[in-house]
């Protein structure tokens, strides 16, 4: 059952991704990106990552769609027809893919309990959380307590990115705009 | 910008539950899925929905620009400040054990404070980004879509 | 390194290969498409594929979400990749919006968000500057 669901989701994800590559209308591209995020969220639920699925659904399908639509409203609504098609990108992509697939060959099987990832800190966190922190959600415990430094860094990155956007396009600090040169 | 009646009515019904859900996700993150990152985004989505349908001007009356910009910084300060308080109480930076009588009580307080910091920053950043994008004069007409 | 390509191996690895396909679709969009907004969407696809790869590595078959229950024999999937990716998603949207803001500014100063047109405008501008300098040099000499 799980396998069927997973493969269906994968099929839908790949179809969406290819559609994104082919469609020229940017509105459709953005909507398909939202669909992609929702499908990805479902896949995360199937892989037991409920917190991640939650975030992906809220961020990918919610905020990022709004922002991209906002960008379209400020720029252009469709992609230009390319003047020439070249094979170079396809070759690059296929080569990269072959290297990546070669890299996966000695990876452990999907869901294997004896994979290297499952040997070190991960099970440790699950074992220690009930005594150390007394919260049921291990993800929150790791996020806020065991790896608090990490999260502080991530929050700072979010802060900095927000600052960058404010500085770039909110027009603060130069409110009375001079319109001397031809403002295009 | 005058939107369809159905959109306006549905938005009015939806905004309050979205905000309530955001609060639930924020403060219930220790027990179920959720936490500051998600809660900040959901809380911002509630206001962004309001702003899209009822216009940016009305949203700015609730949350002026300077409030949003202060929230962006306040969250990070709350997070780092929790760490500083821990140090003042004799612990390590971000070692919440010193905040309560027993170690795990301190951990609970620490996690709540830190998650609140994350939530406030994420909310502020999302709102600020939305303001920045929505505040620019659009180059496309409404009909051109 | 001897690998047996039996059914077990294929079913255990097919998810990685599907992630690779998704990732490459994103990469293809970034490399081959000239529209800057579409490049950002492609970058997001790429990013989402990496996220999925990480999450799939934390999965244990028969396990459940890492929210502790009263059953002591419960198997939990690894929470560590979840934490890393959760924060990465939010950081991803923040950086994406920074990219979108740059696109808006580029559109304001160039009037287009197609890469080749921007490069062409840049080339014309630098050519005009070179001409200008050459003209002034010939006038002063």
């Amino acid at each position: 059952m799980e396998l069927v669901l997973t493969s269906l989701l994968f099929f839908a994800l790949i179809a969406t991704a290819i559609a994104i590559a082919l469609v020229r209308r940017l509105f459709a591209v953005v909507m398909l990106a939202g669909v992609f995020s929702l499908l990805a969220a479902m896949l995360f639920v199937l892989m037991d990552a409920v917190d991640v699925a939650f975030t992906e659904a809220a961020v990918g399908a919610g905020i990022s769609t709004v922002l991209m639509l906002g960008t379209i409203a400020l720029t252009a609504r469709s992609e230009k027809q390319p003047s020439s098609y070249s094979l170079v990108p396809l070759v690059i992509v296929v080569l990269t893919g072959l290297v990546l697939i070669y890299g996966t060959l000695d990876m452990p099987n999907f869901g294997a309990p004896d994979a290297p990832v499952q040997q070190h800190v991960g099970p440790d966190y699950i074992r220690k959380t009930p005594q150390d922190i007394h919260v049921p959600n291990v993800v929150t415990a790791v996020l806020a307590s065991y790896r608090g430094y990490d999260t502080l860094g991530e929050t700072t990155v979010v802060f900095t990115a927000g600052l960058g956007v404010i500085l770039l396009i909110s027009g603060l600090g130069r409110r009375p705009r001079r319109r001397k040169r031809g403002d295009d | 910008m005058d939107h369809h009646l159905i959109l306006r009515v549905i938005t009015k019904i939806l905004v309050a539950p979205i905000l309530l859900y955001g609060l639930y996700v924020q403060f219930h993150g220790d027990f179920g899925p959720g936490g500051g990152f998600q809660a900040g985004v959901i809380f911002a989505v509630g206001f962004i929905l309001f702003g899209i349908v009822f216009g940016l001007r009305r949203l700015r009356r609730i949350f002026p620009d300077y409030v949003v910009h202060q929230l962006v910084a306040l969250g990070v300060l709350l997070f780092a400040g929790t760490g500083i308080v821990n140090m003042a109480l004799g612990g390590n930076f971000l070692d919440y054990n010193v905040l309560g009588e027993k170690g795990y009580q301190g951990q609970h307080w620490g996690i709540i404070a830190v998650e609140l910091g994350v939530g406030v920053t994420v909310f502020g950043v999302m709102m600020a980004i939305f303001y920045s994008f929505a505040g620019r004069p659009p180059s496309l007409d409404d009909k051109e879509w | 390194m001897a690998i047996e390509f039996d059914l077990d191996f294929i079913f255990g690895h097919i998810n990685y290969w599907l992630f690779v396909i998704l990732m490459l679709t994103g990469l293809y969009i970034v490399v081959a498409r000239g529209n800057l907004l579409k490049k950002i969407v492609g970058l997001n696809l790429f990013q989402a594929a990496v996220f999925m790869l990480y999450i799939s590595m934390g999965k244990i078959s028969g396990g459940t979400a890492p929210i502790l229950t009263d059953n002591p024999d419960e198997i939990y999937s690894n929470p560590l990749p979840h934490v890393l990716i959760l924060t990465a998603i939010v950081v991803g949207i923040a950086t994406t919006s920074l990219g979108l803001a740059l696109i808006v500014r580029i559109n304001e100063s160039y009037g287009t968000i197609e890469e080749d047109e921007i490069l062409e405008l840049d080339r014309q501008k630098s050519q005009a500057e070179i001409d200008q300098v050459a003209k002034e040099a010939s006038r002063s000499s």
Side-chain angles (χ1 to χ4, degrees):
Chain A
M1 184 61 201
E2 210 176 300
L3 190 73
V4 177
L5 273 179
T6 317
S7 19
L8 264 178
L9 277 177
F10 265 122
F11 187 72
L13 276 170
I14 291 177
T16 319
I18 292 175
I20 291 176
L22 295 180
V23 171
R24 298 225 165 272
R25 254 186 99 196
L26 290 178
F27 184 74
V29 168
V30 171
M31 285 299 144
L32 283 170
V35 170
F36 186 91
S37 282
L38 269 187
L39 290 171
M42 288 185 213
L43 193 68
F44 288 145
V45 174
L46 277 180
M47 290 179 182
D48 297 341
V50 278
D51 285 84
V52 181
F54 199 165
T55 321
E56 177 74 34
V59 166
I63 297 262
S64 86
T65 312
V66 170
L67 293 182
M68 288 192 184
L69 288 181
T71 313
I72 294 178
L74 295 175
T75 54
R77 92 199 141 107
S78 67
E79 190 188 1
K80 200 187 62 168
Q81 196 77 25
S83 47
S84 64
Y85 288 92
S86 127
L87 271 180
V88 180
L90 206 62
V91 173
I92 293 174
V93 162
V94 168
L95 279 181
T96 319
L98 288 179
V99 172
L100 285 174
I101 285 176
Y102 174 73
T104 63
L105 288 185
D106 53 356
M107 282 183 65
N109 276 356
F110 174 64
D114 56 348
V117 197
Q118 321 293 4
Q119 303 306 317
H120 301 285
V121 283
D124 241 36
Y125 287 142
I126 291 178
R127 214 173 43 247
K128 280 191 188 154
T129 299
Q131 294 117 48
D132 285 356
I133 304 186
H134 282 240
V135 296
N137 188 352
V138 186
V139 174
T140 304
V142 177
L143 180 92
S145 185
Y146 289 118
R147 291 188 162 248
Y149 265 71
D150 208 351
T151 312
L152 178 58
E154 309 269 16
T155 314
T156 315
V157 172
V158 173
F159 167 76
T160 318
L163 216 60
V165 174
I166 293 172
L167 289 176
L168 270 174
I169 61 171
S170 80
L172 282 181
R174 47 179 195 96
R175 259 287 128 80
R177 242 201 238 159
R178 287 182 301 138
R179 283 180 149 266
K180 247 166 133 185
R181 287 178 297 159
D183 212 348
D184 43 9
Chain B
M1 207 155 60
D2 218 12
H3 277 284
H4 200 277
L5 178 67
I6 293 176
L7 270 182
R8 275 183 286 154
V9 172
I10 297 286
T11 306
K12 272 188 182 163
I13 297 172
L14 274 182
V15 166
I18 291 176
L19 297 184
L20 194 63
Y21 187 58
L23 287 175
Y24 165 78
V25 171
Q26 171 79 53
F27 293 108
H28 203 258
D30 323 3
F31 303 99
F37 284 103
Q38 296 94 328
V41 172
I42 291 173
F43 218 66
V45 163
F47 283 108
I48 289 174
L49 176 66
F50 182 85
I52 288 176
V53 174
F54 290 102
L56 199 59
R57 191 172 297 166
R58 280 181 74 177
L59 184 58
R60 277 212 160 110
R61 231 183 294 156
I62 310 170
F63 270 110
D65 275 31
Y66 69 93
V67 174
V68 170
H69 294 166
Q70 280 166 2
L71 284 179
V72 172
L74 182 73
V76 181
L77 282 178
L78 191 58
F79 200 137
T82 312
I84 305 281
V85 168
N86 292 332
M87 283 167 81
L89 290 174
N92 287 327
F93 188 66
L94 293 179
D95 169 22
Y96 315 128
N97 278 347
V98 291
L99 289 177
E101 266 172 46
K102 297 200 182 93
Y104 67 87
Q105 288 171 342
Q107 292 283 346
H108 282 201
W109 282 113
I111 287 178
I112 287 176
V114 162
E115 290 274 14
L116 193 63
V118 172
V120 169
T121 293
V122 172
F123 169 73
V125 167
M126 293 304 156
M127 291 290 279
I129 291 172
F130 174 70
Y131 277 2
S132 309
F133 275 91
R136 303 229 125 200
S139 66
L140 292 183
D141 279 343
D142 271 3
K143 299 207 173 59
E144 238 184 295
W145 289 87
Chain C
M1 189 170 69
I3 298 165
E4 280 180 70
F5 278 93
D6 52 3
L7 213 58
D8 200 34
F9 179 84
I10 291 178
F11 272 118
H13 285 69
I14 195 155
N15 63 315
Y16 300 128
W17 302 334
L18 291 168
F19 296 140
V20 168
I21 294 176
L22 278 181
M23 194 192 271
L24 293 179
T25 319
L27 183 65
Y28 179 77
I29 296 175
V30 175
V31 178
R33 293 285 179 256
N35 188 293
L36 294 180
L37 184 76
K38 209 157 174 189
K39 273 183 198 280
I40 294 262
V41 174
L43 218 52
N44 274 346
L45 288 191
F46 191 98
Q47 184 177 270
V50 176
F51 293 163
M52 288 175 205
L53 176 74
Y54 262 72
I55 297 293
S56 81
M57 288 198 286
K59 165 82 178 164
I60 299 178
S61 35
T64 180
I67 294 174
L68 301 176
T69 55
D70 294 332
N71 179 5
D73 297 329
E74 196 80 76
I75 305 170
Y76 300 105
S77 289
N78 197 337
L80 193 55
H82 301 186
V83 175
L84 301 179
I85 297 313
L86 195 159
T87 49
I89 289 177
V90 180
V91 170
I93 179 67
T95 45
T96 299
S97 54
L98 193 63
L100 292 175
L102 282 171
I103 291 180
V104 169
R105 291 308 297 263
I106 287 173
N107 184 60
E108 275 174 11
S109 53
Y110 287 88
T112 173
I113 56 168
E114 299 287 340
E115 196 184 25
D116 46 353
E117 290 175 9
I118 292 169
L119 290 176
E120 177 65 22
L121 283 171
D122 264 354
R123 205 186 53 74
Q124 283 173 6
K125 195 174 168 227
S126 56
Q127 190 61 47
E129 273 168 11
I130 291 170
D131 290 348
Q132 184 75 25
V133 170
K135 202 187 280 177
E136 274 169 17
S138 65
R139 198 180 297 158
S140 62
S141 65

